[in-house]
Amino acid sequence: MSLLRENPKLLESFRRGEPEALTRVYQAYSAHVARFLSRTYVSHGPGGLARVGPLDLEAAHQETFVRAFREQARLAYDGVRPFSAWLNAVARQAAVDVLRAAGRIAREAVPLDDTLMAERLASNAPSPEDRALEVETRELVTRFLAGLDEPTRRLADLRFVQGLSQERAGQVLGLSRQELRTRENKLRRAMTTFLVEEGWLTPESSDAVPSAAATAALLAILFPHFVP
């Protein structure tokens, strides 16, 4: 994604902090940041490698954009580097600070630099944390799907497990785009309720309709093949 690099006028508006430009950038990169935070190790320290857990995703996501939209940060972006990479660096530091404040990592933990991250990603051996999270999420998804009626389970499988687009899933199910969206919104609300009951979300952090950031982040963890 190279929204700002390809649009000099938007870049200048972004640097000036014009609300419409900030809104456009947020909408374009919100899901990207949520996925980055949910899938990336962000720090290393005495406790080893660390990444953002489900309870901290929303806070880290919000903090990322608060920092990225400050005047000093906006002016620091040169419009040459990919904005997504620049935003990842902001997100990594924001996530570390959120995790420190929540007591999830030691004060000595520092943001994971590109070299260490490359080494971590190049390793074919999953860490114990990776294996534990994989087992937990697999069991969580199985329980969630088992609690759905057959039509809803089919929708969840097509959209979240197989990663079909709304258009393609609607064709398979014989639903219009609007009908599918209505059912999918109901499914996401059911997922939020389920995640609260399972302890992956706190009641105060869940809404009747999940925020776009929280939904994207949680789907990124639970259903890696999901396509928005």
Side-chain angles (χ1 to χ4, degrees), residues 154-160 163-177 180 184:
R154 177 63 170 154
L155 170 61
D157 176 65
L158 293 174
R159 284 286 289 138
F160 298 160
L164 270 61
S165 66
Q166 286 187 339
E167 181 178 4
R168 178 59 182 147
Q171 291 173 351
V172 173
L173 297 172
L175 300 173
S176 68
R177 188 75 176 270
L180 189 136
E184 185 172 314

Side-chain angles (χ1 to χ4, degrees), residues 43-50 96 100 104-111 129:
S43 73
H44 63 95
L49 295 166
V96 170
R100 281 175 180 157
R104 316 277 192 214
I105 59 175
R107 290 287 170 181
E108 294 80 5
V110 297
E129 292 83 1

Side-chain angles (χ1 to χ4, degrees), residues 182-194:
T182 299
R183 295 192 184 187
E184 185 172 314
N185 285 337
K186 182 179 180 180
L187 175 59
R188 294 189 186 198
R189 287 194 293 270
M191 181 185 70
T192 302
T193 299
F194 175 79

Side-chain angles (χ1 to χ4, degrees), residues 67-177:
R67 298 184 182 194
F69 286 173
R70 288 172 180 162
E71 182 178 14
Q72 184 176 1
R74 297 194 315 269
L75 295 176
Y77 176 63
D78 56 18
V80 176
R81 292 170 291 169
F83 186 73
S84 57
W86 180 85
L87 200 54
N88 288 349
V90 176
R92 190 178 299 123
Q93 182 62 65
V96 170
D97 291 341
V98 167
L99 293 177
R100 281 175 180 157
R104 316 277 192 214
I105 59 175
R107 290 287 170 181
E108 294 80 5
V110 297
L112 192 64
D113 62 35
D114 292 340
T115 300
L116 286 173
M117 180 156 47
E119 292 174 354
R120 175 65 187 84
L121 295 177
S123 172
N124 292 323
S127 69
E129 292 83 1
D130 283 333
R131 289 192 290 268
L133 181 62
E134 181 180 355
V135 170
E136 184 179 0
T137 54
R138 187 185 302 120
E139 293 176 349
L140 194 71
V141 169
T142 299
R143 292 199 302 274
F144 174 65
L145 295 177
L148 303 175
D149 57 49
E150 182 56 35
T152 307
R153 189 181 303 115
R154 177 63 170 154
L155 170 61
D157 176 65
L158 293 174
R159 284 286 289 138
F160 298 160
V161 180
Q162 297 185 40
L164 270 61
S165 66
Q166 286 187 339
E167 181 178 4
R168 178 59 182 147
Q171 291 173 351
V172 173
L173 297 172
L175 300 173
S176 68
R177 188 75 176 270

